Amino acid sequence: MSAEWESIFLSLRLAGLVTVMLLVIATPLAWWLARSRDPLRPVVEALTALPLVLPPTVLGFYLLILLNPQSPIGSFWREWTGGSLTFSFAGLVVASIVYSLPFAVQPLQTAFASVGRGQLEAATSLGAGPLDRFLHIVIPHSIRGYITAAVLSFSHTLGEFGIVLMMGGSIPGETRVVSIALFEAVETLDYDTAHTLAAGLILFAFVTLLAVFALNRRFPVHVR
């Protein structure tokens, strides 16, 4: 397998894993942000959205400090797994989750906020518990939010550069994702490879956006 294909498959593996984990993490957080009246909600909302305005290198720098083998978290990880969180695939997963979190939370928060309270109250009066209400009312009414969150999380993770370079460097088969391969191709004046990788990313971005728009047309917005 060529180095470029190895980078592509590594990127797809990273983006797929991060997307699944983000949907799991973002669901309860987005539900709380959409429904809670806690005074701390604006603070949590701002912290969640922080990666949208912070340079990736800033996040990468502090994650390096937080997760390095000498830190409490990094030391625990090394004792538990025998590996390091920095300059490893596991570190890329953690960094990507942090950096792409708002792309999963915000579409879900918007979708959850659109679910009518009347439907939930009616289900409660019929004896449905919180989990039943969420699984049978909230999720079916929030399919568009889940589709958007999944596509944005996957695409954003696939195109990350700054934070993956800071956290992972360029280790073939471990941290050299497609954005790093593209950067290195340009740096070494290998424009044929750079054009191929860049065109592939553009095509992927167009196809995924086309798919999400087509899927969203099949799931109409539910008005309260």
Side-chain angles (χ1 to χ4, degrees):
M1 181 188 298
S2 69
E4 286 71 32
W5 277 110
E6 187 177 54
S7 297
I8 291 170
F9 286 126
L10 182 66
S11 297
L12 293 173
R13 178 185 165 205
L14 174 66
L17 180 59
V18 167
T19 299
V20 171
M21 295 181 71
L22 273 175
L23 292 179
V24 173
I25 294 169
T27 293
L29 178 57
W31 177 254
W32 183 83
L33 288 173
R35 296 292 171 167
S36 175
R37 297 180 180 177
D38 194 299
L40 289 177
R41 188 181 73 171
V43 176
V44 176
E45 204 164 17
L47 288 173
T48 302
L50 204 56
L52 293 173
V53 295
L54 275 181
T57 48
V58 172
L59 285 175
F61 171 68
Y62 281 110
L63 284 172
L64 277 175
I65 293 176
L66 182 65
L67 304 178
N68 77 83
Q70 283 72 47
S71 70
I73 297 176
S75 176
F76 170 78
W77 181 265
R78 179 178 287 276
E79 290 179 5
W80 185 42
T81 66
S84 172
L85 272 175
T86 54
F87 301 101
S88 68
F89 182 79
L92 291 189
V93 172
V94 174
S96 298
I97 288 173
V98 173
Y99 191 45
S100 296
L101 184 63
F103 292 89
V105 170
Q106 292 186 358
L108 291 180
Q109 182 181 348
T110 301
F112 292 159
S114 69
V115 178
R117 292 185 180 274
Q119 299 173 72
L120 297 175
E121 291 170 357
T124 301
S125 68
L126 294 173
L131 183 59
D132 285 335
R133 294 197 301 270
F134 191 82
L135 292 177
H136 296 104
I137 296 178
V138 176
I139 289 183
H141 283 72
S142 305
I143 293 298
R144 291 187 67 165
Y146 274 99
I147 293 172
T148 303
V151 171
L152 289 179
S153 298
F154 190 93
S155 301
H156 189 252
T157 302
L158 194 67
E160 288 173 9
F161 174 73
I163 199 166
V164 296
L165 182 63
M166 291 284 288
M167 275 295 296
S170 180
I171 305 172
E174 182 75 15
T175 65
R176 187 177 182 265
V177 295
V178 67
S179 58
I180 303 298
L182 172 58
F183 173 76
E184 291 179 348
V186 174
E187 200 173 36
T188 57
L189 305 182
D190 183 2
Y191 290 131
D192 288 340
T193 300
H195 277 303
T196 300
L197 293 174
L201 288 173
I202 292 172
L203 179 61
F204 173 81
F206 176 76
V207 170
T208 52
L209 287 174
L210 186 64
V212 75
F213 290 141
L215 286 170
N216 277 338
R217 288 175 65 89
R218 298 188 59 184
F219 298 98
V221 178
H222 293 273
V223 182
R224 297 180 188 222

